[in-house]
């Protein structure tokens, strides 16, 4: 068969399969990410239908998927919002990092994987899935709940931390020395600070320059600018994902809204390809040996995320029920855990890290929506008597839904 014809057949089959899996997930109201990962396992080496000619194109599509994920994330936040969150919620971010990154690092060291793998696995267990959590909040009708801004603040701080964390692991995975790694981090932090400064002071001018009434021109300019900046960032050993995130932050107003609407379908397409690509590089036979460590890590870090949300909501004066809802909602891991693990898999630092991360994400992306729904009723049943016997004034024991417009979701 002609190579181009085989490529079209293979890639078309992948896209069709992803579309059908996405429809199946939507029908039963859960995230399609685990199905995409399973599709990658099926199409990859050792799977049911190994790919041939289309694998190289899928790899390029996966890189674009990561770039678009971070770009769209940056478009959700204005520079002023980010600065405000850093000032007011940084303690919640520190607690979140301590409780959820340390179990991953400890597991890697217990498995004998070394310090670099420990830093990578710490990131995998630390970052919650903004996409899955945003969908769960909408599905459960909790956009107007008093705990929702607390949840979003934690997610924003995690997303911001990526601008620092990704350059660190990029330098570690590249095997650069202390001086080169410090220079990479300094460049990344300097670029982030510069973009935030420019976005705060001149964001309107940048958005006006990019903005266009013609959707085609707006799409081409934003996508071209993002890929260009991402490529330059990667050339400087910073991270293409960080470059894309900073481009998203720099855009605001009509330009950001228009770009978001135009790029959402592209993001969904290439993000799905990215999850498939990650699955392609994971041999299904390598998952069973790491299933027990992945399950243990999932149980521990589900508990630490619940504790994080509970603490942050309590600090904000939310009622006991809202605290439990906040904690249960933060459990899901997803896209960014896979992005971090994917960097390590590409660098080849530890063969078992990819399978463990795949199993870990599969578990928590399925369990996450369940904990969001059932943590509060279960906690209320177990602690109901004590809460009723000792109500405290000023703890937010008021209706959970506020009047007016619901809070936005990042």
């Amino acid at each position: 068969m002609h190579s181009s014809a085989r490529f079209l057949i293979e890639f078309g089959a992948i896209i069709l399969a992803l579309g059908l899996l996405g429809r199946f997930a939507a029908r039963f109201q859960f995230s399609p990410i685990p199905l995409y990962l399973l599709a990658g396992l099926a199409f990859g080496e050792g799977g049911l239908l190994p790919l041939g000619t289309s694998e190289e194109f899928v790899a390029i599509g996966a890189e674009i998927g990561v770039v678009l994920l971070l770009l769209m994330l940056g478009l959700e936040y204005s520079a002023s919002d980010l600065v405000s969150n850093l000032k007011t919620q940084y303690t919640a971010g520190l607690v979140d990092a301590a409780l959820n990154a340390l179990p991953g690092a400890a597991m890697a060291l217990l498995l004998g994987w070394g310090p670099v793998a420990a830093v990578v696995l710490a990131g995998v267990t630390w970052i919650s899935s903004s996409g899955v959590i945003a969908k769960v909040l909408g599905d459960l009708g909790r956009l107007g709940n008093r705990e929702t801004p607390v949840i979003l603040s934690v997610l924003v701080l995690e997303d911001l931390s990526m601008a620092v964390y990704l350059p660190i692991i990029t330098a570690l995975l590249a095997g650069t020395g202390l001086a080169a790694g410090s220079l990479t981090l300094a460049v990344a932090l300097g670029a982030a600070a510069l973009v935030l400064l420019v976005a705060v002071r001149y964001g309107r001018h940048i958005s006006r320059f990019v903005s266009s009434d013609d959707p085609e021109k707006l799409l081409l300019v934003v996508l071209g600018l993002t890929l260009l900046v991402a490529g330059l960032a990667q050339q400087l050993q910073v991270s293409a994902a960080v470059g894309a995130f900073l481009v998203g932050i720099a855009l605001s107003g009509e330009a950001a809204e228009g770009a978001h609407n135009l790029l959402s379908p592209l993001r969904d397409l290439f993000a799905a390809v990215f999850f498939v690509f990650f699955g392609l590089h994971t041999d299904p036979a390598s998952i069973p040996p790491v299933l027990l460590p992945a399950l243990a890590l999932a149980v521990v870090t589900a508990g630490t995320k619940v504790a994080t949300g509970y603490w942050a909501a309590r600090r904000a004066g939310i009622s006991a029920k809202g605290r439990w809802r906040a904690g249960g909602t933060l459990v899901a891991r997803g896209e960014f855990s896979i992005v971090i693990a994917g960097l390590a898999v590409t660098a080849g630092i530890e063969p078992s890290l990819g399978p463990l991360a795949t199993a870990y994400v599969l578990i928590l992306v399925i369990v996450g929506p369940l904990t969001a729904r059932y943590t509060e009723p279960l906690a209320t049943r177990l602690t109901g008597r004590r809460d009723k016997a000792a109500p405290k004034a000023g703890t937010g024991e008021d209706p959970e839904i506020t009047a007016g417009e619901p809070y936005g979701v990042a």
Side-chain angles (χ1 to χ4, degrees), residues 209-222:
F209 171 76
V210 172
S211 183
S212 173
D213 294 332
D214 188 335
E216 178 184 351
K217 294 182 176 62
L218 177 62
L219 174 64
L220 292 175
V221 170
V222 173

Side-chain angles (χ1 to χ4, degrees), residues 191-383:
L194 178 62
V195 169
L196 286 175
L197 178 63
V198 171
V200 169
R201 294 190 175 183
Y202 307 107
R204 293 183 179 179
H205 300 290
I206 296 174
S207 298
R208 190 179 299 117
F209 171 76
V210 172
S211 183
S212 173
D213 294 332
D214 188 335
E216 178 184 351
K217 294 182 176 62
L218 177 62
L219 174 64
L220 292 175
V221 170
V222 173
L223 183 59
L225 177 63
T226 302
L227 294 176
L228 177 62
V229 172
L232 291 174
Q234 190 161 315
Q235 190 70 25
L236 295 172
Q237 297 296 314
V238 172
S239 169
V242 171
F245 181 65
L246 294 176
V247 171
I249 292 174
L251 299 179
S252 61
E254 293 183 2
E257 183 178 353
H260 186 283
N261 294 334
L262 290 171
L263 289 169
S264 290
L266 281 178
R267 177 208 49 194
D268 295 340
L269 168 63
F270 285 106
V273 170
F274 166 73
F275 292 121
V276 170
F277 178 74
F278 186 83
L280 289 176
H281 287 259
T282 303
D283 187 348
S286 65
I287 291 182
V290 297
L291 194 55
L292 284 180
L295 182 60
L297 197 57
V299 171
V300 171
T301 55
T304 54
K305 275 294 181 183
V306 171
T308 298
Y310 188 95
W311 182 89
R314 181 179 181 181
R315 182 171 175 267
I318 306 299
S319 70
K321 290 184 178 181
R323 297 171 202 168
W324 288 116
R325 284 197 295 268
T329 304
L330 286 170
V331 166
R333 280 23 169 231
E335 60 272 24
F336 296 116
S337 296
I338 296 298
V339 168
I340 294 166
L343 294 174
V345 169
T346 302
I349 63 162
E350 174 53 53
S352 297
L353 198 153
L356 188 145
T358 300
Y360 174 78
V361 170
L362 281 172
I363 293 169
L364 287 185
V365 82
I366 294 171
V367 171
L370 299 178
T371 60
R373 184 185 296 267
Y374 296 114
T375 297
E376 180 264 318
L378 179 60
T380 299
R381 176 174 295 184
L382 295 176
T383 64

Side-chain angles (χ1 to χ4, degrees), residues 85 88-89 92-93 147-160:
N85 272 288
T88 59
Q89 301 291 342
E147 75 273 4
T148 298
V150 176
I151 296 170
L152 298 183
S153 294
V154 172
L155 295 177
V156 168
L157 288 167
E158 288 181 352
D159 298 337
L160 275 176

Side-chain angles (χ1 to χ4, degrees), residues 74-84 196 199-200 248-249 251-252:
L75 289 173
E76 298 288 349
Y77 310 124
S78 69
S80 58
D81 289 339
L82 295 179
V83 172
S84 175
L196 286 175
V200 169
I249 292 174
L251 299 179
S252 61

